[in-house]
Amino acid sequence: MEASHISLTRHDQHVPIDYLSSLLLKTAHDAIIVRNFTDQCICLWNQEAEELYGRSAQEAVGQHYAALLQPHVLNGLVDSNEILGREGQWQGELTQMRSDGRQVIVHSNQTLMYDQNGKLTLVLEVNRDLTERRRLEQDMKEYVQLATTAGDLGLWSYDLSKEPDTIISYHETPNLLPAGIPVNLTHYQKRVHPADWQPSRDAVQQAIQTHQDYIDEIRLIEPDGKMRWLSVRGRPMYDEQGHPLHLIGVAFDITERKRMEETLRASETKLRRLVDANIVGIIVTTLSGQILEANDTFLSLVGYTREELMTGKLSWRTITPPEYQQISDQVVQELRQYGVCQPIEKAYINKEGKHVSVLLAAARLDETTDYNICFILDMTEQKDLEKQRELLIGVISHELRTPLTAIKGNLQLAQRRFQRYIQNSQASSSLDSSSIAKIEVSLEQALRQIRVQERLINDLLESTRIEDGTLAINRQPCDLLRIINETVDDMRFIRPTQALLVEVPTQETIQINADPGRIGQVLANYIMNAFKYSPEDRPVRIGVTIEEQEVRVWVQDQGPGIPPEVQPHVWDRFYRIPGNKAHNGESKSFGLGLHICRVLIAEHGGQVGVESELGKGSTFWFSLPR
Ligand code: ADP
């Protein structure tokens, strides 16, 4: 049976055959099946149907429609035949069976048609294959789901046709709002930070009007009061007439990023405050030398204007004197290696060409760039003071020490000549013995005073050397016993009246690695102190104790002793025990002797200490590693 041989009516209307042909032409890409409504036998099967279902017209025509295609209405239990019978028309989506057993999804348009006497009733079914499209749609869904779970992405759509209280749907929004739950605009507004609400509404309107994407960052307030940042992007969709339909979009949580931005901004602000406070000079530079930023303190230090510094003609290299270039290289290397550089002393050449002494410390701003921040302290005043101090030391050592040495030499000469004169003129009693004794005593006293002066000057010099770091120590293998014996000999010479007992081991040598002069100096200092405080009739004892790791030398006196609370302080620079008087009136001192001793012993890797009991005496000791 061919359709062109039949004259048909539709809803009691005459349907001209040319209408049917044009319909068939128009739907040339669709599968067309005509079946008898009464017995459901297929009577027409076009070429597209052959392709779609994998059956030729020959195979299909005459077959029972439902038995062959097994149609199922998608999305519902609707019996299409019943609706067809009642309304003459049915539209919907169907699954149907292909010859190979696979299912196809079609959009089906079925129309009931009658012949003129109403006997033969046919169903014209036009099916469009949706299988591929549905598969793509399903794939798309999967993609989206994958993307949303992988990227913590929220999807949303916003119905623009139903203002003002529009429904917003959130899909797959684990981090945004409960997934898939539609909320209205009022509900949404409650969650958005009040300050962000109006700007976000304006941005949406703007996007709709300009047909552009809506891009925004908004803050959401959680029910527990916590705040979260969302980055939102939406795209307005329009109907064919250009009316806005809805806005579809994505959103993701950027709270962490915002938090980091905040912290960064806070530390930037702190840094800026520090720079602007102008407490110290601050510059931001590159390692190669460019000055990117300088605060006022730095500018006044070098005398250049900000413009002059930043034109690029001047770099920190060009304003560094040649003798400091090497130090600058070290700074750069330290910064590369460790990210910070310890404070160093250097100088800049100011605009007038003069050197400005500074203390500089620097740190890399971050690992990715070669930007550094340098803190610069003006040291001109300190340097001036240092120069004055050096000058003073120079004066002490030359202007004072030289004449003192000359006086001492002359006094010693006078003493010797006088003794020789006395010996030679023993017979002639031109001088009575008491006058001779007086001259001898005053000569001896003068020499003693000079020795005191000499020691004080030496102490001062030594302590300035300690401060400068120029104290020289030359360690070498030497014999401790020899050092002790030589020092004791010297001391006996200086104070022949004082009993000095030496208790050393019987062995011949005690080998140490030390500067013999310095160790002798420390021991002499201990013994001199003991002399100062011990009554002359009480012996001063000196001894050595050898232990596994170290050797200890001690000097014991029977002087007044030292109160326990001040014992730790006797080693401090310029410390003197208040009211502590030497028995022989030798009170001239700076409180430097023991301080120098401690530094000297520490330089040797040893230790110093004192054990003392008031009224009984003190034992000062020092130890040296073996
Ligand atoms: P100075 O160089 O002025 O003598 P020191 O550094 O040698 O000062 O000593 C510090 C303080 O310890 C001084 O006040 C001194 O009186 C006290 N002192 C040092 N040795 C003894 C000692 N053997 N007995 C009592 N007091 C001592």
Side-chain angles (χ1 to χ4, degrees):
M1 187 185 328
E2 283 186 20
S4 53
H5 297 154
I6 322 161
S7 173
L8 299 165
T9 56
R10 187 182 142 194
H11 282 274
D12 297 331
Q13 266 184 313
H14 180 72
V15 180
I17 202 74
D18 51 345
Y19 164 79
L20 201 58
S21 344
S22 77
L23 190 76
L24 291 178
L25 261 180
K26 253 205 290 191
T27 55
H29 293 295
D30 296 335
I32 296 171
I33 304 165
V34 179
R35 67 177 189 268
N36 190 317
F37 184 60
T38 322
D39 63 10
Q40 292 286 312
C41 272
I42 295 169
C43 51
L44 189 140
W45 186 266
N46 77 348
Q47 205 182 329
E48 277 67 32
E50 288 186 329
E51 277 170 27
L52 179 59
Y53 302 106
R55 292 179 200 277
S56 65
Q58 243 174 346
E59 287 173 282
V61 171
Q63 299 287 329
H64 186 270
Y65 168 77
L68 189 74
L69 289 175
Q70 301 177 20
H72 281 287
V73 179
L74 275 176
N75 319 320
L77 303 160
V78 193
D79 184 347
S80 54
N81 274 329
E82 191 198 310
I83 295 176
L84 260 180
R86 207 169 55 227
E87 296 181 7
Q89 221 173 359
W90 181 86
Q91 260 198 63
E93 283 185 20
L94 290 175
T95 60
Q96 293 172 326
M97 191 70 84
R98 280 171 48 93
S99 64
D100 58 10
R102 290 212 320 257
Q103 280 196 329
V104 287
I105 302 170
V106 294
H107 180 268
S108 183
N109 200 327
Q110 303 184 8
T111 316
L112 206 56
M113 298 183 165
Y114 313 90
D115 67 0
Q116 265 148 348
N117 42 33
K119 267 185 194 160
L120 182 63
T121 312
L122 299 178
V123 180
L124 172 66
E125 178 175 335
V126 181
N127 290 343
R128 174 159 296 170
D129 183 8
L130 294 180
T131 320
E132 185 63 7
R133 192 171 147 185
R134 287 285 174 268
R135 198 182 59 73
L136 283 177
E137 279 173 2
Q138 187 56 36
D139 278 4
M140 205 53 142
K141 249 189 170 167
E142 299 284 334
Y143 282 139
V144 168
Q145 206 183 12
L146 214 60
T148 53
T149 41
D152 256 2
L153 203 66
L155 302 181
W156 53 271
S157 63
Y158 168 35
D159 199 331
L160 294 170
S161 57
K162 296 185 191 129
E163 292 261 27
D165 201 10
T166 312
I167 297 289
I168 305 174
S169 299
Y170 282 87
H171 315 278
E172 319 292 347
T173 49
N175 260 333
L176 202 66
L177 288 168
I181 299 176
V183 285
N184 61 27
L185 215 56
T186 323
H187 178 222
Y188 181 57
Q189 185 179 359
K190 276 187 197 145
R191 296 282 302 271
V192 174
H193 190 290
D196 294 345
W197 176 249
Q198 199 49 48
S200 91
R201 298 289 295 155
D202 294 347
V204 166
Q205 286 312 315
Q206 166 110 10
I208 295 166
Q209 275 159 24
T210 57
H211 288 235
Q212 272 171 359
D213 279 2
Y214 152 66
I215 302 168
D216 206 357
E217 281 180 1
I218 52 163
R219 282 164 290 178
L220 283 191
I221 311 289
E222 299 277 285
D224 62 5
K226 269 198 208 123
M227 196 180 76
R228 286 198 357 244
W229 276 94
L230 291 187
S231 172
V232 187
R233 193 174 185 124
R235 181 164 297 175
M237 310 296 274
Y238 307 84
D239 66 10
E240 277 115 36
Q241 284 78 43
H243 299 126
L245 281 177
H246 54 271
L247 201 62
I248 57 166
V250 293
F252 51 92
D253 198 315
I254 51 163
T255 315
E256 198 49 39
R257 197 187 84 197
K258 282 282 171 187
R259 204 168 284 150
M260 279 163 72
E261 279 175 13
E262 290 279 313
T263 333
L264 200 65
R265 206 169 305 141
S267 59
E268 267 175 16
T269 317
K270 272 189 212 152
L271 190 63
R272 169 91 359 243
R273 266 198 220 128
L274 185 66
V275 172
D276 293 343
N278 283 306
I279 299 163
V280 291
I282 295 178
I283 49 174
V284 175
T285 70
T286 64
L287 284 180
S288 54
Q290 207 187 341
I291 299 174
L292 305 166
E293 214 182 316
N295 69 349
D296 293 344
T297 308
F298 183 80
L299 295 176
S300 65
L301 187 87
V302 291
Y304 288 105
T305 64
R306 189 164 274 118
E307 291 68 35
E308 283 170 328
L309 267 190
M310 282 165 212
T311 44
K313 270 187 222 139
L314 290 172
S315 73
W316 58 256
R317 279 275 184 204
T318 54
I319 58 168
T320 297
E323 62 267 34
Y324 288 103
Q325 294 290 351
Q326 207 186 337
I327 289 186
S328 300
D329 289 342
Q330 279 171 18
V331 169
V332 169
Q333 206 190 329
E334 265 186 58
L335 285 172
R336 282 226 169 88
Q337 208 170 344
Y338 308 112
V340 286
C341 97
Q342 298 304 317
I344 54 129
E345 278 182 28
K346 65 169 273 178
Y348 288 115
I349 310 165
N350 71 7
K351 200 174 176 183
E352 292 171 5
K354 290 198 179 123
H355 283 203
V356 192
S357 300
V358 296
L359 190 72
L360 173 140
R364 293 280 288 273
L365 277 182
D366 62 66
E367 270 80 55
T368 51
T369 63
D370 78 337
Y371 292 173
N372 305 280
I373 186 159
C374 309
F375 301 92
I376 296 132
L377 207 64
D378 187 349
M379 294 285 283
T380 324
E381 266 180 36
Q382 282 91 330
K383 278 281 159 188
D384 285 351
L385 273 177
E386 225 163 86
K387 272 193 196 130
Q388 283 174 13
R389 203 172 68 160
E390 269 163 28
L391 208 70
L392 190 72
I393 295 169
V395 168
I396 291 172
S397 54
H398 292 106
E399 314 304 317
L400 280 178
R401 213 149 74 125
T402 318
L404 201 67
T405 317
I407 293 167
K408 189 177 158 193
N410 279 327
L411 267 176
Q412 281 168 335
L413 191 67
Q415 200 179 30
R416 272 200 300 277
R417 279 193 181 154
F418 183 65
Q419 273 160 2
R420 218 176 302 141
Y421 171 77
I422 306 261
Q423 278 160 14
N424 292 343
S425 53
Q426 203 102 67
S428 73
S429 55
S430 53
L431 280 167
D432 63 73
S433 59
S434 75
S435 306
I436 291 170
K438 272 184 196 156
I439 294 171
E440 274 181 330
V441 166
S442 51
L443 274 175
E444 183 49 48
Q445 269 176 354
L447 267 173
R448 189 182 289 179
Q449 287 305 320
I450 287 201
R451 274 196 295 269
V452 170
Q453 291 290 338
E454 203 175 33
R455 190 174 57 80
L456 289 178
I457 290 169
N458 281 341
D459 280 359
L460 259 186
L461 277 170
E462 289 280 65
S463 109
T464 41
R465 283 189 197 119
I466 290 171
E467 290 305 295
D468 291 350
T470 54
L471 192 81
I473 284 172
N474 302 311
R475 293 174 78 168
Q476 50 187 274
C478 53
D479 174 15
L480 181 62
L481 283 183
R482 190 169 164 187
I483 298 170
I484 293 172
N485 288 330
E486 283 178 4
T487 312
V488 167
D489 283 350
D490 288 350
M491 292 293 121
R492 279 188 178 134
F493 180 77
I494 290 172
R495 188 71 59 85
T497 49
Q498 177 85 47
L500 203 53
L501 304 176
V502 185
E503 301 167 15
V504 292
T506 48
Q507 66 196 82
E508 284 183 358
T509 61
I510 300 172
Q511 283 302 317
I512 53 166
N513 193 29
D515 182 331
R518 293 304 194 181
I519 300 303
Q521 185 184 342
V522 173
L523 183 59
N525 208 309
Y526 281 10
I527 298 174
M528 284 298 282
N529 278 351
F531 283 174
K532 263 203 258 177
Y533 298 103
S534 265
E536 279 196 23
D537 57 341
R538 304 275 173 79
V540 170
R541 289 166 63 225
I542 297 159
V544 182
T545 323
I546 302 173
E547 275 154 35
E548 207 175 307
Q549 305 280 338
E550 57 170 41
V551 51
R552 195 180 268 225
V553 180
W554 48 265
V555 176
Q556 191 184 57
D557 65 54
Q558 296 179 40
I562 301 167
E565 67 276 11
V566 302
Q567 283 177 18
H569 298 294
V570 297
W571 311 97
D572 294 348
R573 197 171 180 228
F574 296 123
Y575 180 83
R576 288 185 300 171
I577 299 174
N580 199 6
K581 274 221 164 123
H583 68 89
N584 54 11
E586 268 186 36
S587 58
K588 274 187 216 123
S589 72
F590 288 132
L592 285 171
L594 290 179
H595 171 70
I596 295 166
C597 289
R598 187 181 61 178
V599 174
L600 288 175
I601 294 298
E603 288 284 329
H604 281 84
Q607 285 181 321
V608 294
V610 59
E611 278 129 35
S612 179
E613 209 178 313
L614 271 181
K616 290 204 171 156
S618 316
T619 306
F620 279 83
W621 58 263
F622 66 86
S623 66
L624 292 169
R626 292 185 70 202

